Amino acid sequence: MKKSFFIFHLLCLIVAVSTNAFGKGSFTTHDLGYVSLPIPTDWVILNKSVQKQINTSSEVLSHMDQSNNEILIAAVCYTTNKKPSATLRVSIRHKAPVQSQEEFSKVTNEELAELLPLYQSNSDDIDKKIGTKTRIISVTKSYIDNFSAVKIYKTTIDKDYPDKYETLYVIPHNKYGTIKIMLTYAIKEEYFKDILEYIESNIKIRK
């Protein structure tokens, strides 16, 4: 009797977990003004002070002025490591993009592929400073909520963090500037791929 009771409750638990895995109960939608997106409820949202330090660190490493770059949200997820296994960051550069949406829509994947060596060179410079090893896998055109975007896909090996996949979307917006969405997850924790794809498919950008 006790065994049957245990099995019954175990099955109920499995059903409950699988039902909520990608349901609204597992995510909170964050309206950031320019962008809205779902983030798992168990992820940690970094406070504004930490976000400012991320901006400052980016300026030091890239030598690019970040005073017009605003981080709208940054979140991390911890699992088996002391360091984050997955991260998410959304930012906007309050400056007119180099190309409008209409102009960028005409850019081909072949043209974007020619930029890969440039991105790799920039990554190599940063790697030398912080001891990482980055490989740019591809630079392609993608779409987020029907907005054309540059998609930069890469891997990074870091002795202090889990080796990771990183996807960066750069979206020129005619009204607001350039929106950037970065998603990373540990290579050994493949289940994050489905979670991040769910987030990507539910991103909404203000027209």
Side-chain angles (χ1 to χ4, degrees):
M1 180 68 179
K2 288 183 178 179
K3 184 177 180 181
S4 299
F5 181 82
F6 172 78
I7 293 173
F8 171 78
H9 279 274
L10 180 60
L11 288 172
C12 288
L13 179 61
I14 292 172
V15 170
V17 170
S18 62
T19 300
N20 290 326
F22 293 101
K24 293 181 180 178
S26 297
F27 292 84
T28 299
T29 297
H30 295 260
D31 188 344
L32 310 174
Y34 309 99
V35 180
S36 68
L37 76 169
I39 297 176
T41 55
D42 59 340
W43 287 34
V44 178
I45 307 298
L46 303 182
N47 63 44
K48 289 294 183 182
S49 178
V50 175
Q51 293 178 22
K52 288 180 180 178
Q53 299 314 310
I54 293 173
N55 242 357
T56 302
S57 175
S58 296
E59 181 169 323
V60 170
L61 293 173
S62 66
H63 301 294
M64 182 180 292
D65 181 12
Q66 298 294 317
S67 61
N68 59 6
N69 188 71
E70 178 187 2
I71 295 179
L72 302 176
I73 197 166
V76 297
C77 178
Y78 296 89
T79 55
T80 59
N81 301 287
K82 292 182 179 180
K83 302 293 186 179
S85 293
T87 69
L88 175 154
R89 187 162 81 232
V90 181
S91 62
I92 183 166
R93 188 172 294 280
H94 298 284
K95 181 180 179 181
V98 176
Q99 291 182 312
S100 67
Q101 268 291 307
E102 292 73 22
E103 291 169 332
F104 181 68
S105 66
K106 300 174 184 177
V107 175
T108 65
N109 276 323
E110 289 74 17
E111 291 172 317
L112 290 175
E114 294 177 4
L115 298 176
L116 195 152
L118 175 61
Y119 283 110
Q120 186 65 63
S121 176
N122 291 339
S123 293
D124 291 344
D125 290 341
I126 294 175
D127 285 343
K128 291 176 184 177
K129 295 176 183 177
I130 61 177
T132 54
K133 186 175 181 180
T134 301
R135 181 170 74 90
I136 308 295
I137 298 173
S138 61
V139 181
T140 57
K141 183 191 287 188
S142 186
Y143 297 90
I144 297 290
D145 193 26
N146 295 318
F147 280 82
S148 299
V150 179
K151 179 182 179 181
I152 304 165
Y153 183 54
K154 62 185 180 180
T155 59
T156 299
I157 297 174
D158 187 335
K159 61 182 177 63
D160 296 321
Y161 287 81
D163 298 345
K164 66 182 180 181
Y165 291 114
E166 177 181 318
T167 302
L168 174 65
Y169 294 97
V170 182
I171 308 160
H173 197 293
N174 296 347
K175 292 182 180 179
Y176 308 130
T178 301
I179 297 170
K180 293 172 290 180
I181 302 170
M182 186 187 75
L183 306 142
T184 77
Y185 70 93
I187 291 174
K188 291 184 178 180
E189 298 183 71
E190 190 69 18
Y191 47 81
F192 275 114
K193 180 180 179 181
D194 292 331
I195 296 172
L196 295 184
E197 286 180 352
Y198 175 83
I199 293 172
E200 289 175 18
S201 65
N202 285 279
I203 294 172
K204 302 298 179 186
I205 298 176
R206 181 179 290 180
K207 302 296 188 286

